Amino acid sequence: MSIFNGNESIGIAVAFTIGLLIPLLLIGMKRTKQRGVPVQVGGETGFAIRNHRSKTLIEVPWEGATTMAALFEQSCKKNAHERCLGTREVISREVVTGGDGRKFEKLHLGEYVWETYEGAFKRASNFASGLVKLGHSADSRAAIFADSRAEWLLAFQGCFRQNITVVTIYASLGEEALIHSLNETQVTTLICDPKQLKKLAAISSSLESIKHIIYFEDDDTTVDSSFDNFTLTSFSEVEKLGKENPAHPRLPSKTDTAVIMYTSGSTGLPKGVMMTHGNIVSTAAAVMTVIPEIGRKDVYLAYLPLAHVFELEAETVMLTAGAAIGYGSALTLTDTSNKIKKGTLGDASALKPTLMAAVPAILDRVRDGVLKKVNEKGGVTKKLFNLGYKRRLSAIEGSLFGAWGLEKTFLDVIVFKKIRSILGGRMRFMLCGGAPLSRDTQRFMNVCLGIPIGQGYGLTETCAGAAFSEADDTTVGRTGPPLPCGYIKLVSWEEGGYLITDKPMPRGEVVVGGHSITLGYFKNEEKTNEVYKVDEKGMRWFYTGDIGQFHPDGCLEIIDRKKDIVKLQHGEYISLGKVEAALASCNYVDSIMVHADPFHSFCVALVVPSQHAIESWAHGAGIEYHDFSDLCKKAEAVREVQQSLLKVAKAAKLDKFESPAKIKLLPDPWTPESGLVTAALKLKREQIKSKFKDDLNKLYQ
């Protein structure tokens, strides 16, 4: 990627000169805007924050759109001839061999082929009728187990035409969790993509209720015919059945369960969160008020998993707005993505989106790629970039000497245009969620893309609806005020030292109430009652377990987590206790503490090795060392313990992200006397983190 072309140094020097000659405006001396407003809503404290935009909670985007089925039908009528769902044509596939002998698939992709809103509604209706003709019973559930694509959303909306509850399952879910999810919900119809058929064939004998499997077709689809106990039908065949045998719709009410969404469980098997139609619609209606001027002219790039509430809500917002949704993937996102054949445009270049949702890992990847190219070019290019970045950053952060006016225009054209072309060149707003976004990356996107980043906070249990930063809020590290579909309050957590009476800002557990609060966990009343509570005024609240603080303007900042459960950069949850319990069985381990940072995609570990075991290995391997402390520093010893931990992790069926990517061997035992463990030898996590802070930081470098 070339950041600059020609002799831009002259042009940018002129721009700076013009910028300095124009009288300075008093940038940044604005009165602080109140974004969240205190309100009495009952409950433990009787005090919560609502969004400043609406005195009453928003429930629907317009009158009558109370369910997903109604919203989709009405939007399709309003926007009948507008582009709705776009899919890229696959021209060819080829397999190339890398320098290390590994094989990679490369795709030659064409332009986007579009379905109009009118066409999408017809296809969803046909699919719904096809389900009836296929024999799907009225009160049975259907599951979607596939990567995101246009047919995913069509099947999803089709199910709602017959008031069928949809079970959503991550395409990356392991066999045990998949079997559990399908059997627990007694799914009778499973909708999947071709690559999942092999996985299903391997577990077919364990599936108790499946009767029908419907698969999406690809250009190279080959179907395994070993499903003797199921009917196997293609998506297009179901559509054809429905077109020839139209069934009268059986529409849901807003209180009906629309989705049972299985989350990647923090411990043990995943939990199914029950969402009503009203839950999903209210969050979409609220987000509509936050994204500036969203509408038919917008084009949205969809590549995140639809089985995750973040992407599901984002696409529901786009359908509500009448925007065009073009499907891509994380592996074909840009011109240099792993699966893109050289010379082929990435999804962003082909689509030229105006809106997209992103998880921090994607934005970090873009930032790192740009900085790598800038550093490689060096010289004038690097100096111009750094100077331009500094000027634009000053403007965004309110400095009197920040770039503005003609200078801003020159900077945009000369310095940042090439960078903005990575995501198509037309991006005007980005939604970010799924994990915390680092301050540096957020600022980098503000400067280089020249757009606001709407950083959201929500959970599956709140249907993604909790807090969302606003387009004109230039601060970093905060998640904004509550969405106008709900309230947020803080409840003191005395054990952790977080109190709502804390100064200068109240702190406590984040508790969310309002229209987006889901019904609870499927067939798990005990866990539901633990975290969903109804106050004396009938308001239903979800206790998140996250610790937050409210800024004076009503914006929320997440600062901690009550439990030892951490969401990694890609959105996976890791239970530190579960992983530690599994790895403790390694014969080299005396004590172990796993550490996870939300700004990284992997975990690390501090290990006190068993002196006898590691010294016995060293003797047999011929490793020379002065003392035990010296042995713990040896790269060979670290490697031996690391490999042993990986074997234990694999035997315990831990996911890859749960296996420590790096470890540090510590020679001194953790004892109650050292203050690092309790009398019962339980880890004092905060004390260990504090004592070995530098070691942990080095493991992430």
Side-chain angles (χ1 to χ4, degrees):
M1 178 185 67
S2 175
I3 302 296
F4 302 109
N5 293 317
N7 298 319
E8 286 92 346
S9 56
I10 298 174
I12 202 164
V14 173
F16 287 146
T17 303
I18 294 172
L20 291 173
L21 289 174
I22 297 174
L24 294 171
L25 296 178
L26 297 178
I27 302 171
M29 299 181 68
K30 300 176 183 177
R31 181 183 174 187
T32 301
K33 180 178 179 180
Q34 198 65 32
R35 302 177 187 277
V37 181
V39 61
Q40 291 291 128
V41 290
E44 291 181 32
T45 65
F47 170 79
I49 299 292
R50 67 162 172 83
N51 193 284
H52 67 103
R53 295 173 182 271
S54 178
K55 290 184 178 180
T56 58
L57 298 187
I58 291 176
E59 190 171 3
V60 294
W62 59 78
E63 188 177 353
T66 57
T67 68
M68 290 291 284
L71 186 152
F72 183 59
E73 181 173 0
Q74 291 166 23
S75 185
C76 287
K77 288 179 179 177
K78 285 182 181 181
N79 307 290
H81 304 298
E82 301 291 334
R83 296 184 304 175
C84 182
L85 306 177
T87 303
R88 295 190 75 182
E89 179 188 6
V90 179
I91 297 173
S92 66
R93 302 172 186 264
E94 63 181 67
V95 177
V96 299
T97 303
D100 58 358
R102 290 189 299 167
K103 296 185 181 298
F104 302 91
E105 183 182 51
K106 296 287 184 178
L107 300 179
H108 181 193
L109 300 174
E111 297 297 319
Y112 274 88
V113 179
W114 290 94
E115 190 81 65
T116 64
Y117 270 83
E118 182 179 53
F121 180 71
K122 287 179 180 177
R123 290 188 66 186
S125 298
N126 288 340
F127 182 77
S129 296
L131 287 175
V132 174
K133 183 62 178 177
L134 194 65
H136 182 96
S137 58
D139 298 321
S140 297
R141 302 179 187 94
I144 305 180
F145 178 54
D147 290 325
S148 298
R149 54 192 289 165
E151 291 84 358
W152 199 110
L153 203 62
L154 291 172
F156 186 68
Q157 293 291 347
C159 286
F160 297 150
R161 300 292 300 166
Q162 291 295 326
N163 196 14
I164 295 169
T165 296
V166 177
V167 178
T168 63
I169 302 171
Y170 291 112
S172 59
L173 209 60
E175 287 185 3
E176 183 183 6
L178 177 60
I179 293 168
H180 165 76
S181 305
L182 294 174
N183 288 344
E184 183 176 65
T185 51
Q186 290 294 286
V187 165
T188 59
T189 299
L190 178 59
I191 304 160
C192 67
D193 51 34
K195 71 178 184 180
Q196 306 300 343
L197 289 174
K198 288 184 179 180
K199 185 180 290 188
L200 292 170
I203 63 170
S204 60
S205 60
S206 300
L207 300 178
E208 300 169 355
S209 56
I210 300 292
K211 296 179 181 177
H212 315 287
I213 293 180
I214 300 170
Y215 63 91
F216 303 138
E217 301 111 311
D218 286 330
D219 58 323
D220 60 345
T221 299
T222 55
V223 179
D224 189 335
S225 58
S226 62
F227 296 96
D228 297 331
N229 45 340
F230 312 128
T231 63
L232 195 61
T233 317
S234 71
F235 186 81
S236 61
E237 288 173 326
V238 177
E239 285 186 273
K240 184 180 178 183
L241 272 177
K243 186 176 182 179
E244 295 171 349
N245 303 275
H248 187 73
R250 196 172 61 96
L251 301 176
S253 69
K254 70 177 184 179
T255 57
D256 285 335
T257 302
V259 176
I260 301 174
M261 180 170 283
Y262 275 85
T263 63
S264 45
S266 56
T267 56
L269 295 169
K271 300 186 295 291
V273 178
M274 299 181 289
M275 304 173 182
T276 68
H277 283 267
N279 293 150
I280 305 173
V281 169
S282 66
T283 295
V287 174
M288 285 284 290
T289 69
V290 180
I291 302 176
E293 300 177 352
I294 185 171
R296 294 176 178 176
K297 293 182 180 179
D298 280 307
V299 180
Y300 176 79
L301 176 52
Y303 65 98
L304 295 173
L306 268 164
H308 191 288
V309 71
F310 180 44
E311 180 66 17
L312 185 67
E313 279 292 358
E315 293 191 31
T316 301
V317 170
M318 300 307 143
L319 293 177
T320 307
I325 302 173
Y327 287 91
S329 79
L331 296 176
T332 59
L333 197 62
T334 69
D335 298 351
T336 57
S337 291
N338 290 342
K339 289 189 73 171
I340 286 291
K341 182 180 178 180
K342 190 174 182 179
T344 296
L345 294 179
D347 301 324
S349 296
L351 186 65
K352 292 182 168 50
T354 61
L355 303 170
M356 68 181 282
V359 293
I362 294 291
L363 301 187
D364 288 342
R365 200 176 303 163
V366 171
R367 174 178 177 266
D368 293 345
V370 170
L371 293 178
K372 181 181 178 182
K373 290 291 183 183
V374 169
N375 288 328
E376 285 175 354
K377 283 185 171 291
V380 175
T381 295
K382 185 175 181 179
K383 289 180 180 178
L384 288 177
F385 175 83
N386 290 337
L387 185 57
Y389 188 94
K390 184 177 180 180
R391 299 284 296 174
R392 288 291 294 122
L393 183 61
S394 296
I396 290 170
E397 294 186 339
S399 166
L400 292 177
F401 300 97
W404 65 281
L406 285 176
E407 182 184 330
K408 177 182 181 299
T409 301
F410 272 91
L411 289 176
D412 288 345
V413 171
I414 296 172
V415 182
F416 301 120
K417 184 177 179 180
K418 286 286 184 181
I419 298 173
R420 291 172 187 176
S421 69
I422 295 172
L423 295 178
R426 295 202 309 146
M427 193 67 60
R428 70 178 188 87
F429 188 84
M430 189 177 292
L431 302 82
C432 187
L437 177 65
S438 73
R439 294 167 182 259
D440 289 345
T441 298
Q442 184 174 346
R443 276 291 179 249
F444 187 87
M445 294 298 151
N446 291 150
V447 170
C448 296
L449 297 184
I451 61 172
I453 305 291
Q455 190 166 181
Y457 167 71
L459 305 93
T460 309
E461 291 87 346
T462 67
C463 217
F468 199 104
S469 60
E470 299 175 325
D472 62 345
D473 185 356
T474 58
T475 60
V476 295
R478 310 193 305 171
T479 61
L483 276 169
C485 60
Y487 304 114
I488 295 178
K489 66 179 179 180
L490 301 179
V491 174
S492 292
W493 183 37
E494 295 187 7
E495 181 184 350
Y498 296 109
L499 306 175
I500 61 173
T501 55
D502 287 344
K503 304 294 183 183
M505 291 180 274
R507 304 187 300 171
E509 181 178 2
V510 178
V511 180
V512 187
H515 297 310
S516 65
I517 305 305
T518 53
L519 294 176
Y521 302 112
F522 186 74
K523 291 187 177 179
N524 195 337
E525 187 176 356
E526 181 182 355
K527 183 63 177 175
T528 298
N529 293 336
E530 180 184 329
V531 291
Y532 291 85
K533 299 177 183 178
V534 179
D535 66 27
E536 63 270 19
K537 291 190 176 181
M539 173 68 72
R540 186 174 172 80
W541 298 90
F542 176 71
Y543 285 65
T544 66
D546 291 316
I547 302 299
Q549 63 184 15
F550 268 121
H551 288 251
D553 62 353
C555 287
L556 179 69
E557 180 182 0
I558 305 300
I559 58 175
D560 207 340
R561 174 76 181 165
K562 281 181 71 174
K563 297 180 180 179
D564 297 328
I565 300 172
V566 180
K567 183 187 283 188
L568 296 177
Q569 192 178 42
H570 291 290
E572 305 98 336
Y573 284 98
I574 178 169
S575 171
L576 305 180
K578 182 188 82 169
V579 175
E580 286 160 354
L583 299 183
S585 64
C586 173
N587 68 323
Y588 286 127
V589 171
D590 188 9
S591 301
I592 184 169
M593 189 195 82
V594 176
H595 183 270
D597 188 325
F599 296 113
H600 293 84
S601 59
F602 58 91
C603 67
V604 299
L606 300 175
V607 179
V608 178
S610 164
Q611 186 167 350
H612 172 74
I614 197 70
E615 286 184 340
S616 295
W617 164 82
H619 178 74
I623 305 297
E624 296 182 359
Y625 59 95
H626 298 297
D627 53 24
F628 185 56
S629 180
D630 182 47
L631 177 58
C632 287
K633 296 175 184 176
K634 295 283 184 180
E636 300 94 329
V638 173
R639 192 181 309 114
E640 172 65 13
V641 175
Q642 174 97 34
Q643 291 175 347
S644 182
L645 288 173
L646 290 175
K647 290 178 182 177
V648 172
K650 186 175 182 180
K653 296 184 177 179
L654 295 182
D655 285 314
K656 184 178 180 181
F657 64 83
E658 293 177 303
S659 302
K662 297 180 181 180
I663 65 170
K664 170 74 175 179
L665 300 184
L666 303 170
D668 298 322
W670 297 343
T671 65
E673 291 74 24
S674 69
L676 300 179
V677 295
T678 68
L681 300 182
K682 292 182 179 179
L683 298 180
K684 290 187 176 180
R685 198 173 300 276
E686 292 305 315
Q687 286 85 340
I688 295 173
K689 284 164 59 177
S690 177
K691 181 176 177 64
F692 300 105
K693 180 180 178 181
D694 292 339
D695 292 311
L696 288 170
N697 288 337
K698 287 178 183 177
L699 289 176
Y700 284 112
Q701 293 173 0

